[in-house]
Amino acid sequence: MYICDMEKTTDITTIVSKELINKSFDFARDVAEIGLDQFIKDGFLRDIPLVNMVAAFYNVTNSIVNRNNARKILVFFQEFNSGKIDDNKFNEFAHKMKTDNDYRTEVVETIILLNERFLKTEKSKILANLVIAHINGHLSWAEFSDLTYVLDNIHPKCYFLLKEMSNEPYWRSTIISDAPAEALIIAAGIGHRKDNNFIIVELGQKLYQLGIKPANL
């Protein structure tokens, strides 16, 4: 059994809320590359408070699903804590998290629920970068919420085509190298056909520029 040494916190909403403000998680290894079984076997769990708390909450000894949920939350925070956030913007965010209960609840629940829905850690990285973009003022909360719906549904095969389309003038092209990915992008609501042009809409452009590209996927 993993015992949390930091205030013995067992509520995941409290864990996530505090880490968003404290940014305590600093870990050299890429959490996304750590095997799920290592969440049980590796001694580093006992040495890092956030890992210890998340592992305790998800009871990582119980199932592979729980271990994967723990890993996705940790990948999220590894990406979030390594991102660039303007100091003044972060202070404003931290103040709002402390004083606006409705806002704090929306932010924290979005992070937890989406991470638990994701199959792969790549989306956890993208989500972290979208949160950073929101804090930096590049996304309103409404835009962020719209992008989380897209992220929840988009197929990972779309990432590369979005990268290719980002190099095209005005995000439009008459030649698409990956027809299945085009169909998946259209299904996600971030692209469409107009005459002979395939076009990525503004929401898709922001998903790539603010979420996928910073994650280096």
Side-chain angles (χ1 to χ4, degrees), residues 63-122:
S63 73
I64 191 171
V65 173
N66 289 356
R67 291 194 287 279
N68 196 36
N69 282 335
R71 181 169 66 174
K72 287 179 290 183
I73 286 288
L74 294 172
V75 166
F76 170 89
F77 277 117
Q78 187 168 50
E79 187 78 6
F80 179 79
N81 291 353
S82 64
K84 294 181 180 180
I85 303 177
D86 178 83
D87 288 341
N88 291 331
K89 295 290 187 181
F90 182 77
N91 290 337
E92 291 173 7
F93 168 74
H95 177 73
K96 191 170 184 178
M97 286 285 289
K98 293 174 182 177
T99 59
D100 188 331
N101 291 336
D102 291 339
Y103 177 73
R104 181 176 64 249
T105 297
E106 278 197 271
V107 171
V108 172
E109 289 185 353
T110 297
I111 291 168
I112 295 170
L113 293 174
L114 280 175
N115 271 294
E116 290 186 354
R117 286 173 60 87
F118 297 154
L119 182 61
K120 299 290 186 179
T121 56
E122 287 83 358

Side-chain angles (χ1 to χ4, degrees), residues 164-196:
E164 284 190 331
M165 290 294 294
S166 72
N167 296 318
E168 296 291 336
Y170 308 106
W171 292 77
R172 62 177 62 201
S173 177
T174 57
I175 302 173
I176 298 297
S177 60
D178 190 343
E182 176 187 336
L184 291 169
I185 284 177
I186 292 173
I190 55 173
H192 65 89
R193 275 277 174 189
K194 183 177 182 181
D195 299 326
N196 291 327

